[in-house]
Amino acid sequence: MKHARVLVNDEILNVTVNDNNEAVTASGDVLANGSFKWMPPCEGKMFVLAINYADHAAELSFKAPEEPLVFLKNANTLIGHEQNTYRPDNVDYMHYECELVVVIGKEAKSVSKEDAMQYVGGYTVGNDYAIRDYLENYYRPNLRVKSRDTCTPIGPYIIDAEQIQDPHNLKLRTYINGELKQEGNTKDLVFDIPHLISYLSEIMTLSPGDMIFTGTPEGLADVKPGDVITTEVEGVGTLTNTIISETDYLASLH
């Protein structure tokens, strides 16, 4: 089953999503496309993996890490499907990062790798935009790179874990204006999902709705205002958003 959150008449509803990508309310009402706004499908802590694909590490001239490189992001960065991400004015290079996102389904603390997959509630698609101008080092905990408003589209929905037979063999693709720019596979993860859940749950308690952005493969490209970016994870979903200028974004707030 696919689970989503949508905005209808200033009210956020928890819905399921049918095969036509229509939202279905708890009472069975079907909301036609265009009659609602997609919201981020979950709320919780965001753990984001840096350099978790060996080919991406090589692309950045880094060695693959020996333990997970994780940073946290805040809810201000999240937007839903078919929403806008702004590109800051006067930057030289901003790129997408297509990622499989693991959504925690139940509380997890000090979980073993062998038991870790029992704590996965579902999966969704994430796009972790980065402003490459401000990349400072290997670990890159830089607020200006990763923590701007609107820089993390996610969704459109969460698909139940049992519907994905093997999350470690899924194709990831990114398109700019319909042109394929990035392609990879989760089989190339440096640290797989059980490793990440075990590692993170040793540090802090994981709660339902927490998100683990598992990293992106090689194939990055600059994005400009007007570009439509589509990121997809095989079997999980397709996430689309549009790049706008900072000037247009600020104007939209008034």
Side-chain angles (χ1 to χ4, degrees), residues 85-88 92-96 129-131 221-223 243:
T85 293
Y86 83 87
R87 176 187 170 114
D92 291 328
Y93 193 16
M94 172 176 169
H95 63 75
Y96 49 78
Y129 282 106
I131 311 300
D222 193 23
V223 295
I243 306 298

Side-chain angles (χ1 to χ4, degrees), residues 1-237:
M1 187 172 288
K2 303 170 184 175
H3 309 271
R5 298 166 68 243
V6 299
L7 183 67
V8 181
N9 297 325
D10 296 323
E11 180 182 4
I12 294 178
L13 303 178
N14 292 310
V15 298
T16 58
V17 178
N18 64 21
D19 291 339
N20 296 319
N21 264 3
E22 298 167 321
V24 182
T25 68
S27 60
D29 295 329
V30 177
L31 306 177
N33 291 316
S35 68
F36 59 86
K37 177 180 178 180
W38 295 97
M39 302 297 288
C42 45
E43 296 177 294
K45 300 186 289 293
M46 281 188 284
F47 303 92
V48 186
L49 270 294
I51 322 296
N52 201 33
Y53 283 79
D55 58 0
H56 181 46
E59 181 180 33
L60 298 176
S61 300
F62 290 141
K63 186 180 80 171
E66 296 180 1
E67 67 174 287
L69 296 177
V70 187
F71 58 96
L72 295 172
K73 298 186 75 165
N74 200 38
N76 69 290
T77 67
L78 287 177
I79 58 170
H81 177 54
E82 297 180 342
Q83 305 307 314
N84 296 328
T85 293
Y86 83 87
R87 176 187 170 114
D89 293 339
N90 303 315
V91 300
D92 291 328
Y93 193 16
M94 172 176 169
H95 63 75
Y96 49 78
E97 293 188 7
C98 178
E99 307 199 21
L100 172 68
V101 179
V102 177
V103 182
I104 297 299
K106 60 182 180 179
E107 187 173 291
K109 178 59 181 170
S110 299
V111 172
S112 69
K113 294 179 185 178
E114 292 73 21
D115 294 336
M117 295 302 291
Q118 300 175 24
Y119 294 84
V120 178
Y123 303 95
T124 189
V125 183
N127 183 354
D128 180 29
Y129 282 106
I131 311 300
R132 187 61 61 184
D133 299 50
Y134 305 115
L135 178 63
E136 291 180 346
N137 55 40
Y138 187 78
Y139 187 67
R140 57 179 181 173
N142 189 322
L143 291 174
R144 297 183 297 174
V145 175
K146 291 281 189 174
S147 295
R148 297 172 185 269
D149 296 344
T150 77
C151 74
T152 316
I154 188 172
Y157 43 74
I158 299 167
I159 188 166
D160 286 341
E162 57 265 25
Q163 294 186 248
I164 303 300
Q165 183 174 0
D166 183 3
H168 297 102
N169 187 20
L170 302 175
K171 294 178 182 178
L172 294 84
R173 296 188 179 95
T174 300
Y175 300 81
I176 300 179
N177 303 322
E179 181 181 355
L180 180 63
K181 291 291 188 178
Q182 180 185 38
E183 188 168 19
N185 193 296
T186 57
K187 66 184 179 183
D188 297 321
L189 287 168
V190 177
F191 300 105
D192 64 12
I193 295 167
H195 188 113
L196 295 175
I197 291 174
S198 179
Y199 177 85
L200 293 169
S201 70
E202 282 294 329
I203 298 169
M204 67 178 76
T205 300
L206 306 182
S207 302
D210 285 353
M211 297 156 270
I212 304 173
F213 285 68
T214 57
T216 198
E218 69 172 342
L220 306 180
D222 193 23
V223 295
K224 303 289 179 63
D227 286 342
V228 177
I229 313 302
T230 300
T231 50
E232 62 181 29
V233 178
E234 180 184 9
V236 176

